[in-house]
Amino acid sequence: MSKATIKEILAQPEAWKETLKDIGREREWLIKYLREINGHELIFTGCGTSYHLALSGASIYSKITNGKARGVPASDILIFPDMIFTKNGKYLTVPISRSGTTTETVRVAQFIKEKLGIETLGISCYGDSKLSGICNRKLIASAAAEESVVMTKSFTSMLLVIQMISAIKSGDKDYEKQLQSLPEEGERIIDKYQSIAKEFGEDDKLNKFIYLGQGPFYGLASESMLKIKEMSCSNSEAYHCLEFRHGPKSIADNKALVTMLSSDSGEDYEDALLKDIKELGARTLVLCDKATEEKLNSADYIVELDSGLSEYARLILYMPITQLIGYYRALSKGLDPDSPKNLTQVVEL
């Protein structure tokens, strides 16, 4: 039964520690390079998990640097490039791929280089991959290379790379200091909440899992949805928090676990939504840094990080919890997360 997946979920804090060191070694050229792209819009792109990473990464970069950024699926660049790039726009494209061999992402890097003449900065876990060879520049989270099929520590570590890019670009020392504390915080949170994640995963009264996140947390909600779907073949969906009221709430019942990845910026809106969801009869789980009185009254379960970090710094701390829920859900259904149905580690067409 599964060994690689759980090992890599639990090893994330160590991978983050090494990733911070990796980017620290690239600091000198990265500072100069990021100055050269002043005024450029960053297009973060990838497939599957890497696309979810691109969504959150673009939000982080925009907020921390006050620059323009978007997260788009690699397939849109291949099929509808005019929807992404305007004739007189200035761009840096950031293709993201754990393996560096994902077909659509590699083709995007080639297309951008050969047809559009746009600079590319690749993010991967392998420095000798096809993607790394094509891109003008590369940043490698080598400690996040994985044996498992589903992406766990690679997702959080490559998102940390984007957080560090944003910190270095902005010169925000306080933000960078917060990022440096993530490995220690991650170890504490996993130790504290692994057993609770196991409890959720093994609860056979639940038959659907809904993840809600706003702004930079939407990419995380989408990735949490994908993890439980990939590992346990469970019914799962993801929405922007307030979009849940506009139709999706029809599926809320006592067999649904609605997990809210709580923000600071949207706290009042999210707390009101949480109350509404609870009244619909759904089970509710809130991941937050500090629980408000409203959350304490409306949530069935609360995972309180108590990190003291800003919402744009603490993002990856949410992920081990949702990954573990997916992992333990798979085991409870007699499935092996190391061998998920219909999936391979790399999608090559």
Side-chain angles (χ1 to χ4, degrees):
M1 190 53 86
S2 171
K3 293 182 180 179
T5 304
I6 186 63
K7 180 180 177 182
E8 288 162 356
I9 292 172
L10 300 180
Q12 286 177 100
E14 185 60 33
W16 302 344
K17 191 181 301 182
E18 294 304 313
T19 297
L20 290 167
K21 291 178 184 177
D22 285 342
I23 303 305
R25 286 189 283 268
E26 306 291 346
R27 177 182 290 275
E28 188 173 339
W29 74 258
L30 195 51
I31 289 172
K32 295 177 182 177
Y33 185 69
L34 293 172
R35 285 175 185 161
E36 293 171 5
I37 61 163
N38 278 337
H40 288 58
E41 181 177 5
L42 268 62
I43 305 297
F44 293 93
T45 188
C47 304
T49 286
S50 295
Y51 167 53
H52 300 156
L53 201 164
L55 291 174
S56 287
S59 181
I60 292 165
Y61 182 86
S62 294
K63 169 63 177 179
I64 301 302
T65 71
N66 200 31
K68 291 183 178 180
R70 277 181 286 164
V72 301
S75 55
D76 267 2
I77 295 179
L78 287 177
I79 300 170
F80 295 105
D82 293 342
M83 185 179 76
I84 311 298
F85 304 104
T86 60
K87 188 174 182 180
N88 298 317
K90 295 167 66 177
Y91 302 99
L92 170 67
T93 301
V94 185
I96 305 164
S97 169
R98 170 177 63 176
S99 66
T101 59
T102 306
T103 297
E104 296 104 303
T105 308
V106 170
R107 287 179 181 173
V108 159
Q110 290 173 326
F111 171 74
I112 287 171
K113 182 177 183 179
E114 296 171 6
K115 302 296 184 181
L116 302 182
I118 293 173
E119 190 98 353
T120 51
L121 171 62
I123 298 178
S124 180
C125 299
Y126 295 90
D128 58 354
S129 66
K130 292 179 184 177
L131 182 67
S132 297
I134 293 168
C135 290
N136 300 95
R137 297 276 189 164
K138 62 186 179 184
L139 289 170
I140 307 300
S142 57
E146 290 167 325
E147 180 185 340
S148 60
V149 173
V150 298
M151 292 174 64
T152 55
K153 69 176 180 177
S154 59
F155 174 85
T156 54
S157 298
M158 289 192 290
L159 187 55
L160 180 55
V161 169
I162 296 174
Q163 290 179 298
M164 283 296 293
I165 291 172
S166 303
I168 292 170
K169 170 70 173 172
S170 66
D172 189 334
K173 298 296 184 184
D174 179 65
Y175 181 63
E176 187 169 348
K177 184 178 179 181
Q178 292 183 61
L179 300 181
Q180 295 290 342
S181 73
L182 288 170
E184 183 178 351
E185 293 293 335
E187 288 180 2
R188 177 182 60 79
I189 289 162
I190 290 172
D191 287 345
K192 184 175 181 179
Y193 289 112
Q194 183 177 358
S195 61
I196 293 175
K198 185 173 186 288
E199 180 184 329
F200 294 136
E202 293 178 344
D203 189 341
D204 60 8
K205 297 183 181 68
L206 301 171
N207 66 8
K208 50 183 171 281
F209 297 83
I210 301 159
Y211 296 90
L212 306 179
Q214 203 74 30
F217 296 93
Y218 175 67
L220 303 188
S222 298
E223 177 58 11
S224 299
M225 171 275 295
L226 184 61
K227 287 296 86 105
I228 199 164
K229 189 186 296 288
E230 288 178 324
M231 286 192 267
S232 72
C233 297
S234 296
N235 292 324
S236 58
E237 302 181 24
Y239 301 98
H240 292 86
C241 292
L242 303 189
E243 285 297 304
F244 190 69
R245 286 196 180 100
H246 300 274
K249 69 178 183 179
S250 62
I251 64 171
D253 58 27
N254 62 5
K255 293 183 179 180
L257 178 65
V258 180
T259 300
M260 182 178 289
L261 283 68
S262 183
S263 69
D264 298 338
S265 297
E267 190 167 70
D268 291 343
Y269 291 105
E270 292 165 1
D271 284 353
L273 173 64
L274 186 65
K275 182 180 178 182
D276 292 347
I277 294 170
K278 186 60 184 169
E279 289 174 353
L280 294 172
R283 304 265 291 281
T284 54
L285 165 64
V286 174
L287 309 186
C288 61
D289 203 57
K290 276 289 188 182
T292 60
E293 184 176 346
E294 289 78 9
K295 288 182 177 66
L296 293 171
N297 290 333
S298 300
D300 292 305
Y301 310 98
I302 295 177
V303 169
E304 197 172 32
L305 301 184
D306 198 23
S307 69
L309 301 177
S310 67
E311 59 188 340
Y312 282 88
R314 69 173 185 260
L315 289 163
I316 62 175
L317 296 177
Y318 285 52
M319 292 309 301
I321 306 303
T322 62
Q323 293 164 352
L324 285 166
I325 291 172
Y327 172 81
Y328 287 115
R329 183 65 172 181
L331 295 187
S332 75
K333 294 174 71 171
L335 301 174
D336 183 358
D338 283 357
S339 300
K341 183 180 178 182
N342 300 333
L343 301 181
T344 57
Q345 190 185 58
V346 181
V347 177
E348 293 184 283
L349 306 178

Coordinates of all heavy atoms in Angstrom, one line a residue, residues 61-103:
Y61 N 1.9 37.5 -7.1 CA 2.8 38.4 -7.7 C 2.2 39.8 -7.9 O 2.8 40.8 -7.7 CB 3.2 37.8 -9.1 CG 4.2 38.7 -9.8 CD1 5.6 38.6 -9.6 CD2 3.8 39.7 -10.8 CE1 6.5 39.4 -10.3 CE2 4.7 40.5 -11.4 CZ 6.0 40.3 -11.2 OH 6.9 41.1 -11.8
S62 N 0.9 39.8 -8.3 CA 0.2 41.1 -8.5 C 0.2 41.9 -7.2 O 0.4 43.1 -7.2 CB -1.2 40.9 -9.1 OG -1.2 40.3 -10.3
K63 N -0.2 41.2 -6.1 CA -0.3 41.9 -4.9 C 1.0 42.4 -4.3 O 1.1 43.6 -3.9 CB -1.0 41.0 -3.8 CG -1.0 41.4 -2.4 CD -1.7 42.7 -2.2 CE -1.7 43.1 -0.7 NZ -2.5 44.4 -0.5
I64 N 2.0 41.5 -4.3 CA 3.3 41.8 -3.6 C 4.1 42.8 -4.4 O 4.8 43.7 -3.9 CB 4.1 40.6 -3.3 CG1 3.3 39.6 -2.5 CG2 5.4 40.9 -2.7 CD1 2.8 40.2 -1.1
T65 N 4.1 42.7 -5.8 CA 4.9 43.6 -6.6 C 4.2 44.8 -7.2 O 4.8 45.7 -7.8 CB 5.5 42.8 -7.8 OG1 4.5 42.5 -8.7 CG2 6.2 41.5 -7.3
N66 N 2.8 44.8 -7.1 CA 2.0 45.8 -7.7 C 2.2 45.8 -9.2 O 2.0 46.8 -9.9 CB 2.3 47.2 -7.2 CG 1.2 48.2 -7.4 OD1 0.0 47.8 -7.5 ND2 1.5 49.4 -7.6
G67 N 2.5 44.6 -9.8 CA 2.6 44.4 -11.2 C 1.5 43.6 -11.8 O 0.7 43.0 -11.0
K68 N 1.4 43.5 -13.1 CA 0.4 42.8 -13.7 C 0.8 41.3 -13.9 O 1.9 41.0 -14.2 CB 0.1 43.3 -15.1 CG -0.6 44.7 -15.1 CD -0.9 45.1 -16.6 CE -1.6 46.5 -16.6 NZ -1.9 46.9 -18.0
A69 N -0.2 40.4 -13.7 CA 0.1 39.0 -13.8 C -1.3 38.3 -14.0 O -2.3 38.7 -13.5 CB 0.8 38.4 -12.6
R70 N -1.2 37.2 -14.8 CA -2.4 36.3 -15.0 C -2.0 34.9 -14.9 O -0.8 34.5 -15.3 CB -3.0 36.6 -16.4 CG -3.9 37.7 -16.5 CD -4.5 37.9 -17.9 NE -3.5 38.4 -18.8 CZ -3.7 38.3 -20.1 NH1 -4.7 37.7 -20.7 NH2 -2.7 38.8 -20.9
G71 N -2.9 34.0 -14.5 CA -2.7 32.6 -14.6 C -3.6 32.0 -15.6 O -4.8 32.2 -15.6
V72 N -3.0 31.3 -16.6 CA -3.8 30.8 -17.7 C -3.4 29.3 -18.0 O -2.3 28.9 -17.8 CB -3.7 31.6 -19.0 CG1 -4.1 33.0 -18.8 CG2 -2.2 31.6 -19.5
P73 N -4.4 28.5 -18.4 CA -4.0 27.1 -18.8 C -3.1 27.1 -20.1 O -3.3 27.9 -21.0 CB -5.3 26.4 -19.1 CG -6.3 27.5 -19.3 CD -5.8 28.7 -18.6
A74 N -2.1 26.2 -20.1 CA -1.2 26.1 -21.2 C -2.0 25.9 -22.5 O -1.6 26.5 -23.6 CB -0.2 25.0 -21.0
S75 N -3.1 25.2 -22.5 CA -3.8 24.9 -23.7 C -4.4 26.2 -24.3 O -4.6 26.2 -25.5 CB -5.0 23.9 -23.4 OG -5.8 24.3 -22.4
D76 N -4.8 27.1 -23.5 CA -5.3 28.4 -24.1 C -4.3 29.1 -24.8 O -4.6 29.8 -25.9 CB -5.9 29.3 -22.9 CG -7.3 29.1 -22.7 OD1 -7.9 28.2 -23.4 OD2 -7.9 29.8 -21.8
I77 N -3.0 29.1 -24.4 CA -1.9 29.7 -25.1 C -1.7 29.1 -26.5 O -1.5 29.7 -27.5 CB -0.6 29.8 -24.3 CG1 -0.8 30.6 -23.1 CG2 0.5 30.3 -25.2 CD1 0.4 30.7 -22.2
L78 N -1.8 27.7 -26.5 CA -1.6 27.0 -27.7 C -2.8 27.2 -28.7 O -2.5 27.4 -29.9 CB -1.6 25.5 -27.4 CG -0.3 25.0 -26.8 CD1 -0.4 23.5 -26.5 CD2 0.9 25.2 -27.7
I79 N -4.0 27.3 -28.2 CA -5.2 27.3 -29.1 C -5.7 28.7 -29.3 O -6.1 29.1 -30.4 CB -6.3 26.4 -28.5 CG1 -5.7 25.0 -28.4 CG2 -7.5 26.5 -29.4 CD1 -6.6 24.0 -27.7
F80 N -5.6 29.6 -28.3 CA -6.2 31.0 -28.4 C -5.1 32.0 -28.0 O -5.4 32.8 -27.0 CB -7.4 31.1 -27.6 CG -8.6 30.3 -28.1 CD1 -9.0 29.2 -27.4 CD2 -9.3 30.7 -29.2 CE1 -10.1 28.4 -27.8 CE2 -10.4 30.0 -29.6 CZ -10.8 28.8 -28.9
P81 N -3.9 32.0 -28.6 CA -2.9 32.9 -28.1 C -3.3 34.4 -28.2 O -2.9 35.2 -27.3 CB -1.7 32.6 -29.0 CG -2.3 32.0 -30.3 CD -3.5 31.2 -29.8
D82 N -4.1 34.8 -29.2 CA -4.5 36.2 -29.3 C -5.4 36.6 -28.1 O -5.6 37.8 -27.9 CB -5.3 36.4 -30.6 CG -4.4 36.2 -31.8 OD1 -3.1 36.2 -31.7 OD2 -4.9 36.0 -32.9
M83 N -6.0 35.7 -27.4 CA -6.8 36.0 -26.2 C -5.9 36.4 -25.1 O -6.3 37.1 -24.2 CB -7.6 34.8 -25.9 CG -8.6 35.0 -24.7 SD -9.6 33.5 -24.4 CE -8.4 32.5 -23.6
I84 N -4.6 35.9 -25.1 CA -3.7 36.1 -24.0 C -2.7 37.3 -24.3 O -2.5 38.2 -23.4 CB -2.8 34.9 -23.8 CG1 -3.7 33.6 -23.7 CG2 -1.9 35.0 -22.6 CD1 -4.7 33.6 -22.6
F85 N -2.2 37.3 -25.5 CA -1.1 38.3 -25.9 C -1.7 39.4 -26.9 O -2.2 39.0 -27.9 CB 0.1 37.6 -26.5 CG 0.7 36.5 -25.6 CD1 0.4 35.2 -25.9 CD2 1.4 36.9 -24.5 CE1 1.0 34.2 -25.1 CE2 2.0 35.9 -23.7 CZ 1.7 34.5 -24.0
T86 N -1.5 40.6 -26.5 CA -1.9 41.7 -27.4 C -0.7 42.1 -28.2 O 0.5 41.8 -27.9 CB -2.5 42.9 -26.7 OG1 -1.5 43.4 -25.8 CG2 -3.7 42.6 -25.9
K87 N -0.9 42.7 -29.3 CA 0.1 43.0 -30.3 C 1.3 43.9 -29.7 O 2.4 43.6 -30.0 CB -0.5 43.8 -31.5 CG 0.5 44.0 -32.7 CD -0.2 44.5 -33.9 CE 0.8 44.7 -35.0 NZ 0.1 45.2 -36.3
N88 N 0.9 44.9 -28.9 CA 2.0 45.8 -28.4 C 2.3 45.6 -26.9 O 2.9 46.4 -26.3 CB 1.5 47.2 -28.6 CG 1.4 47.6 -30.1 OD1 2.2 47.2 -30.9 ND2 0.3 48.2 -30.5
G89 N 1.8 44.4 -26.4 CA 2.0 44.2 -25.0 C 3.4 43.7 -24.7 O 4.1 43.2 -25.6
K90 N 3.9 43.9 -23.4 CA 5.2 43.4 -23.0 C 5.0 42.3 -22.0 O 4.3 42.5 -21.0 CB 6.0 44.6 -22.4 CG 6.3 45.7 -23.3 CD 6.8 47.0 -22.6 CE 8.1 46.7 -21.9 NZ 8.6 48.0 -21.2
Y91 N 5.5 41.1 -22.2 CA 5.2 40.0 -21.4 C 6.5 39.2 -21.0 O 7.5 39.2 -21.8 CB 4.3 39.0 -22.2 CG 3.0 39.6 -22.7 CD1 2.9 40.1 -24.0 CD2 1.9 39.7 -21.8 CE1 1.7 40.6 -24.4 CE2 0.7 40.3 -22.2 CZ 0.6 40.7 -23.5 OH -0.6 41.3 -23.9
L92 N 6.4 38.5 -19.9 CA 7.3 37.4 -19.5 C 6.3 36.3 -19.2 O 5.4 36.4 -18.4 CB 8.1 37.8 -18.3 CG 8.9 36.6 -17.7 CD1 10.0 36.2 -18.6 CD2 9.4 37.0 -16.3
T93 N 6.6 35.2 -19.9 CA 5.8 34.0 -19.7 C 6.5 33.0 -18.8 O 7.7 32.8 -18.9 CB 5.4 33.2 -21.0 OG1 4.7 34.1 -21.9 CG2 4.6 32.0 -20.8
V94 N 5.8 32.5 -17.8 CA 6.4 31.6 -16.8 C 5.7 30.3 -16.9 O 4.7 30.0 -16.2 CB 6.2 32.2 -15.4 CG1 6.9 31.3 -14.3 CG2 6.7 33.6 -15.3
P95 N 6.2 29.3 -17.7 CA 5.7 28.0 -17.8 C 6.1 27.2 -16.6 O 7.2 27.2 -16.1 CB 6.4 27.4 -19.0 CG 7.1 28.5 -19.7 CD 7.4 29.5 -18.6
I96 N 5.1 26.4 -16.0 CA 5.4 25.6 -14.8 C 5.1 24.2 -15.1 O 4.0 23.8 -15.6 CB 4.4 26.1 -13.7 CG1 4.6 27.6 -13.4 CG2 4.7 25.4 -12.4 CD1 3.5 28.3 -12.6
S97 N 6.0 23.3 -14.7 CA 5.8 21.9 -14.9 C 6.8 21.1 -13.9 O 8.0 21.4 -13.9 CB 6.2 21.4 -16.3 OG 6.2 20.0 -16.4
R98 N 6.2 20.3 -13.1 CA 7.0 19.5 -12.1 C 8.1 18.7 -12.9 O 9.3 18.9 -12.5 CB 6.1 18.5 -11.4 CG 6.9 17.5 -10.6 CD 6.0 16.5 -9.8 NE 5.1 15.7 -10.6 CZ 4.3 14.7 -10.1 NH1 4.3 14.5 -8.8 NH2 3.6 14.0 -10.9
S99 N 7.7 18.0 -13.9 CA 8.7 17.1 -14.6 C 9.5 17.9 -15.7 O 10.6 17.5 -16.0 CB 7.9 16.0 -15.3 OG 7.1 16.5 -16.4
G100 N 8.9 19.0 -16.1 CA 9.5 19.8 -17.2 C 9.3 19.1 -18.6 O 9.9 19.5 -19.6
T101 N 8.4 18.1 -18.6 CA 8.2 17.4 -19.9 C 6.7 17.3 -20.3 O 6.4 16.7 -21.2 CB 8.7 15.9 -19.8 OG1 8.1 15.2 -18.7 CG2 10.2 15.9 -19.6
T102 N 5.8 18.0 -19.5 CA 4.4 18.0 -19.8 C 4.2 18.6 -21.2 O 4.7 19.7 -21.5 CB 3.7 18.9 -18.8 OG1 4.0 18.4 -17.5 CG2 2.2 18.9 -19.1
T103 N 3.6 17.8 -22.1 CA 3.5 18.1 -23.5 C 3.0 19.6 -23.8 O 3.7 20.3 -24.5 CB 2.7 17.1 -24.3 OG1 3.3 15.8 -24.1 CG2 2.6 17.5 -25.8

